[in-house]
Amino acid sequence: MSKTLRLILGDQLNSTHSWFESPDENVIYLMAEMRQETDYVMHHIQKMMAFFAAMRCFADQLKNEGKQVRYYKLDDPENPQKLDKIIDQLIQKEAIEKFEYQLPDEYRLDQQLKDICKSISIDSEPFDTEHFLTERSFLAQFFEGKKTFLMESFYREIRKKFEILMDGKKPEGGKWNYDHDNRSALIDKRLLRKNLEFKHDLSGIFQMIQDQNIKTFGNVNPEDFQWPISRAESFDMLDHFCEKLLVHFGDYQDALTTWDPYLFHSRLSFALNTKMISPLEVVQKVESHWHRKRDEISISQVEGFIRQIIGWREYMRGIYWAKMPEFSKMNFFGHERSLPSWFWTGKTKMKCLSMSINQSLDLAYAHHIQRLMVIGNFALLAGIDPDEVDTWYLGIYIDAIDWVEITNTRGMSQFADGGIVGTKPYVSSANYIKKQGNYCSHCAYSPNQKTGDKACPFNSLYWHFYDRNRELLEKNPRIGMAYKTLDRMKNKAQILKQADEYLGRIEEL
């Protein structure tokens, strides 16, 4: 019987994949921790540990099911640290006659595997990961001939196709989208619930990373690692979200507060992006829970969450495969400023940024408004090079994989794509941040001042951004009012001067 080698990447931990439905003694599964993946960008230490721990857990599961697994740990002396060399090594050692792999979600790895298949002398075959609700090419085909890719129409199509939150052919509750109900600031801290945290001792993995001199950043307690690293734990986290957090998720998903880093967010993104759990499993569980608790949980809580999973997540993946590799080089505004050093330390007097960045360094986590309207907002207003912004976001978050990171960062957050993902830049003055929570009440700067030593930098940078990009943005129908307001300002010159002064000493803000 001929031997087959099947590759499983670190974000392909899908135990329900059809590969595993029947035993086959002539199949060898390959998994590998590689310097190729640890070194192409500097990662948060928790991100690296989480991936290695989840990979090892998955490999043990396969072995317990009787599968043949060749697992290369990072410090294995026989590990050549590059995917092509590992595959070639095993083909020779095991007399492999066919190579199979699941389609990668990163363009970089997709190209590498295509090159590997061309270079080896045996047959090869790619398979779908059987995770997403749509195929790679679905979005491009859905919007064929359109200049803009409107997420809402894509989202509705998925809802109908999979009969999610549908009442026949109409949406449950009579509305497709409850976004306007999902923007409240959290005023009553008594609503908060303790988040589910796991306790893993990953000291061995942590020490291995240190011994291999891998450059990482961020903080961790290796003896008390709290992220899920198995499918069972992923479902535990989903159950906890449904039982304890869903009831307030929609209302406060955009809230900013010093009281709690997680609020009512599910923290399922790592489990989803490593494929330990599937998006359909998540939304069906949430929807069925809501049907049982309709008297307690409003539809706006549920729709807001499901829109994130089957709307934005699937949509961003579709954008990625429709627009890569060109998307990774887009810089609509021509921004070139370097990322301030305090992005790596959190040492800034701006409380919103200090809270969001330090939380990211401590937990490898920030929710979408911290990422978009605090950190991303500042980077865009300050004119930071999107290459540097991409690198930081890709490294710092535990759920950051290129397909989801770059579309959200370079697209939605930085508008570097010129409007493919969003119809206008997501920027704001201090007023938005003040409205969404209590960050401003703890800050050295005043959200109410536009000029002066205590003026919040967001206020002057906001108008500076519009002023310097007038030629690119003024004709955008969603922005016209901003320019009318700017032109009426009596203190416009002082505000722009204030912004220039802040940009000149951005390291001190």
Side-chain angles (χ1 to χ4, degrees):
M1 295 286 289
S2 61
K3 280 189 177 181
T4 297
L5 179 65
R6 287 176 170 172
L7 172 68
I8 301 172
L9 295 171
D11 64 344
Q12 296 177 341
L13 312 182
N14 178 8
S15 59
T16 67
H17 196 279
S18 58
W19 269 1
F20 311 124
E21 288 177 354
S22 57
D24 192 335
E25 61 184 20
N26 295 303
V27 173
I28 295 174
Y29 292 95
L30 164 63
M31 299 181 70
E33 302 164 9
M34 299 177 285
R35 293 298 297 250
Q36 167 189 308
E37 297 305 299
T38 63
D39 296 359
Y40 79 95
V41 68
M42 185 167 64
H43 299 282
H44 195 296
I45 182 63
Q46 290 190 42
K47 178 184 179 183
M48 197 174 296
M49 291 169 64
F51 268 91
F52 289 169
M55 289 167 65
R56 293 181 184 188
C57 185
F58 188 75
D60 288 343
Q61 177 186 330
L62 292 182
K63 291 175 185 176
N64 291 335
E65 293 171 358
K67 306 287 194 298
Q68 291 189 73
V69 180
R70 300 292 183 270
Y71 192 99
Y72 288 82
K73 292 184 178 180
L74 197 71
D75 58 355
D76 187 333
E78 293 186 6
N79 185 347
Q81 305 294 344
K82 290 189 175 182
L83 187 57
D84 55 344
K85 292 182 179 179
I86 293 173
I87 290 171
D88 188 61
Q89 180 174 282
L90 268 182
I91 288 174
Q92 303 305 321
K93 185 177 180 180
E94 302 286 350
I96 300 296
E97 295 180 50
K98 187 181 181 186
F99 171 63
E100 298 177 348
Y101 67 96
Q102 295 177 31
L103 290 169
D105 291 316
E106 293 198 44
Y107 182 85
R108 169 182 62 91
L109 288 169
D110 192 60
Q111 294 300 302
Q112 184 182 17
L113 277 161
K114 286 178 179 176
D115 290 341
I116 288 171
C117 290
K118 290 176 184 176
S119 68
I120 57 179
S121 57
I122 60 174
D123 290 339
S124 60
E125 184 179 0
F127 290 78
D128 191 86
T129 59
E130 302 175 9
H131 171 80
F132 293 95
L133 279 70
T134 56
E135 295 180 351
R136 280 180 175 183
S137 59
F138 177 81
L139 181 136
Q141 293 168 355
F142 184 74
F143 289 110
E144 189 173 7
K146 303 286 180 63
K147 289 185 177 180
T148 56
F149 298 170
L150 188 64
M151 192 281 284
E152 183 67 22
S153 57
F154 174 85
Y155 167 57
R156 294 182 185 186
E157 179 69 14
I158 303 303
R159 287 263 299 268
K160 289 183 284 187
K161 184 176 180 180
F162 288 90
E163 298 183 345
I164 297 168
L165 284 182
M166 296 298 296
D167 181 10
K169 293 184 178 181
K170 296 180 179 180
E172 284 269 20
K175 288 171 59 178
W176 287 102
N177 189 311
Y178 291 82
D179 188 42
H180 284 286
D181 299 334
N182 300 157
R183 300 174 182 176
S184 300
L186 182 66
I187 298 173
D188 187 355
K189 67 185 338 181
R190 292 174 299 178
L191 294 175
L192 292 169
R193 296 291 179 266
K194 183 175 175 57
N195 270 275
L196 179 64
E197 295 175 345
F198 304 96
K199 188 175 179 64
H200 300 289
D201 186 347
L202 300 186
S203 301
I205 291 177
F206 176 79
Q207 192 58 50
M208 177 194 70
I209 292 170
Q210 305 309 306
D211 291 344
Q212 294 299 306
N213 296 314
I214 296 173
K215 191 175 182 182
T216 62
F217 68 109
N219 308 312
V220 68
N221 178 356
E223 297 178 0
D224 186 20
F225 193 82
Q226 299 179 350
W227 288 93
I229 59 172
S230 70
R231 178 169 169 81
E233 289 180 346
S234 301
F235 274 104
D236 287 343
M237 186 165 271
L238 175 58
D239 289 342
H240 177 80
F241 172 70
C242 290
E243 295 291 339
K244 303 294 185 181
L245 307 176
L246 179 60
V247 64
H248 296 304
F249 171 79
D251 290 342
Y252 303 114
Q253 65 171 302
D254 288 2
L256 300 168
T257 179
T258 59
W259 296 331
D260 186 87
Y262 301 126
L263 297 170
F264 304 98
H265 293 274
S266 71
R267 295 190 298 140
L268 282 167
S269 54
F270 175 72
L272 277 164
N273 291 357
T274 50
K275 302 180 181 59
M276 292 188 290
I277 194 169
S278 79
L280 195 57
E281 287 172 327
V282 170
V283 298
Q284 287 179 340
K285 169 75 175 180
V286 169
E287 184 176 9
S288 65
H289 180 82
W290 173 67
H291 280 300
R292 293 194 304 273
K293 304 281 187 176
R294 291 178 77 134
D295 293 339
E296 302 170 30
I297 304 173
S298 67
I299 190 172
S300 65
Q301 319 298 334
V302 180
E303 188 278 324
F305 178 77
I306 287 178
R307 182 168 9 102
Q308 286 191 356
I309 305 298
I310 67 169
W312 278 114
R313 188 171 184 267
E314 294 281 329
Y315 170 79
M316 289 300 191
R317 176 178 178 258
I319 292 285
Y320 183 83
W321 287 107
K323 297 298 181 181
M324 284 293 283
E326 295 81 11
F327 198 92
S328 65
K329 302 299 181 185
M330 291 180 175
N331 188 353
F332 180 69
F333 296 114
H335 285 165
E336 296 179 340
R337 184 170 279 106
S338 295
L339 202 69
S341 61
W342 43 260
F343 264 67
W344 305 97
T345 65
K347 294 179 180 179
T348 169
K349 296 191 290 289
M350 290 176 281
K351 189 65 176 181
C352 60
L353 281 157
S354 174
M355 284 293 301
S356 300
I357 292 174
N358 276 299
Q359 177 187 305
S360 302
L361 292 168
D362 289 341
L363 305 174
Y365 169 85
H367 68 68
H368 63 279
I369 294 301
Q370 291 173 307
R371 298 190 199 194
L372 176 66
M373 296 308 300
V374 178
I375 301 171
N377 186 12
F378 179 85
L380 179 52
L381 294 179
I384 307 300
D385 187 332
D387 285 348
E388 295 200 21
V389 180
D390 262 341
T391 298
W392 186 85
Y393 273 89
L394 182 59
I396 199 167
Y397 293 118
I398 197 165
D399 55 19
I401 302 173
D402 194 57
W403 68 269
V404 68
E405 178 279 321
I406 197 171
T407 46
N408 275 286
T409 301
R410 192 174 288 257
M412 188 177 184
S413 172
Q414 299 304 293
F415 204 75
D417 63 354
I420 295 171
V421 171
T423 54
K424 70 179 182 67
Y426 279 86
V427 291
S428 79
S429 64
N431 186 54
Y432 173 85
I433 298 170
K434 179 183 178 182
K435 184 179 68 174
Q436 291 306 121
N438 68 348
Y439 284 170
C440 293
S441 61
H442 299 269
C443 190
Y445 297 102
S446 169
N448 302 318
Q449 291 182 223
K450 294 183 176 67
T451 58
D453 292 341
K454 297 293 184 180
C456 175
F458 278 90
N459 288 332
S460 57
L461 291 178
Y462 176 78
W463 294 112
H464 192 277
F465 168 80
Y466 276 123
D467 183 70
R468 71 176 186 265
N469 292 305
R470 186 166 202 144
E471 189 175 323
L472 292 171
L473 296 175
E474 189 171 25
K475 293 180 181 178
N476 186 313
R478 297 193 65 194
I479 298 175
M481 186 57 68
Y483 284 103
K484 290 179 181 178
T485 302
L486 180 63
D487 290 339
R488 288 198 302 266
M489 284 183 175
K490 294 180 180 179
N491 60 341
K492 173 182 172 181
Q494 294 99 305
I495 291 172
L496 297 181
K497 183 180 179 182
Q498 177 79 62
D500 283 328
E501 191 266 326
Y502 276 155
L503 290 173
R505 57 181 185 90
I506 195 169
E507 290 286 347
E508 302 168 22
L509 295 182

